[in-house]
Amino acid sequence: MAAPARHVGVETRWETAAGGEGGTETEWEWEAEEEAEEEAEGSGALRAVFPRDPALFADTFPVLRRFRLCGRVLRIAQHHGPRLGLAANVWEAALALARFLEQQRFEFRGRSVIELGAGTGILGILAAMLGGDVTITDRPAALDQIRENVRLNFPGAGTRPRVRALEWGRDEDSFPRDFQVVLGSDLVYDPASFPALLRALRHLCGPRSQALLSARTRGGDSGSRCFFHRLLPPFFRVQLLWQEQEHDIEIYGVTCWEGTAAPPAWGSCGEGGVAAMGVS
């Protein structure tokens, strides 16, 4: 029989990208020990049906990329597979928001920052690199990936972003109020999550807060624009800051209503309106 396949080491796959562009430096490598003897007749056909590479049968497979954003190089692991689902990806809306921050020369230094629904944590890590006091949050399943990315980008013993679980509509009361900067990208793809996200924003944002939220426009009358144009305005001042037409992405600035400024009347999002979505 042949000697068993042996994993002799994995070189991390790094794709260098500035907003998604770049080349590849190394590839995942697997190697088997030399055959001790010839396989029995017909075993070659079996190997064709059952490939030797165990990565093909893994629940997840990692891809690691380098992004050049705001003059920094970020190393981001993405563990694709059913466990993380959409949380594994660096989505274009996050890169669009990073480009906007660079264009605006946004100042993070010394400011308290929270990233919501972080997935890979790329925006929170960038904010920390730029001097912010950062907390990165997502559902519990995504936290290991975020912690890995924090370690990749902050390998020393110095100050790192905090990583905490935050399920909207349930956990926000355990967080401080009045973060100075709230970051989020592609948070509004599922209308069922809108009421919980709104509750989280109402807790986390205070008079000095500025939320910067990017989203790909999707979902028609009950989708992302409903959230920004109808659900948020009764509680927040909402301003469209930037549109990236190539990827159909919008970036909004969200701040609390100040003084006696009167918020607009309720809007509605599809059949049943806002009340039907459980927002109070």
Side-chain angles (χ1 to χ4, degrees), residues 7 11 24 34 40 49-50 73-74 91 102 114 118 122 144-145 154 196 223 226 230 263 277:
H7 178 201
E11 286 255 9
T24 300
E34 284 193 7
V49 175
F50 300 103
V73 176
L74 284 72
W91 295 100
E102 181 170 24
I114 187 167
I122 188 169
D144 284 345
Q145 175 173 262
F154 298 88
C226 169
R230 298 189 181 275
M277 302 185 74

Side-chain angles (χ1 to χ4, degrees), residues 3-16:
R6 181 170 60 91
H7 178 201
V8 299
V10 176
E11 286 255 9
T12 303
R13 177 182 173 88
W14 285 109
E15 295 177 0
T16 304

Side-chain angles (χ1 to χ4, degrees), residues 45-186:
L46 286 175
R47 289 200 306 274
V49 175
F50 300 103
R52 176 176 301 176
D53 187 345
L56 297 176
F57 299 99
D59 287 335
T60 65
F61 65 94
V63 174
L64 290 87
R65 300 179 66 187
R66 286 192 178 101
F67 296 88
R68 293 187 179 93
L69 301 167
C70 298
R72 304 296 195 276
V73 176
L74 284 72
R75 297 165 174 83
I76 300 296
Q78 301 170 83
H79 290 271
H80 300 285
R83 188 175 69 87
L84 288 182
L86 298 175
N89 290 13
V90 174
W91 295 100
E92 188 59 39
L95 299 178
L97 182 50
R99 290 191 288 268
F100 174 78
L101 295 170
E102 181 170 24
Q103 180 191 70
Q104 299 297 313
R105 299 182 181 179
F106 192 87
E107 183 58 64
F108 285 103
R109 191 165 303 279
R111 305 178 76 182
S112 60
V113 182
I114 187 167
E115 183 183 3
L116 303 180
T120 64
I122 188 169
L123 289 173
I125 289 169
L126 178 62
M129 287 182 166
L130 296 174
D133 177 17
V134 177
T135 302
I136 303 176
T137 69
D138 206 328
R139 293 175 297 178
L143 298 188
D144 284 345
Q145 175 173 262
I146 296 170
R147 292 188 183 106
E148 177 181 356
N149 286 328
V150 168
R151 289 192 298 269
L152 284 170
N153 291 280
F154 298 88
T159 302
R160 293 178 171 183
R162 293 170 292 277
V163 179
R164 293 183 58 185
L166 197 173
E167 296 200 47
W168 308 331
R170 193 181 75 177
D171 298 332
E172 57 268 8
D173 288 346
S174 65
F175 285 76
R177 291 180 178 269
D178 203 16
F179 280 90
Q180 290 172 280
V181 182
V182 178
L183 299 174
S185 62
D186 255 342

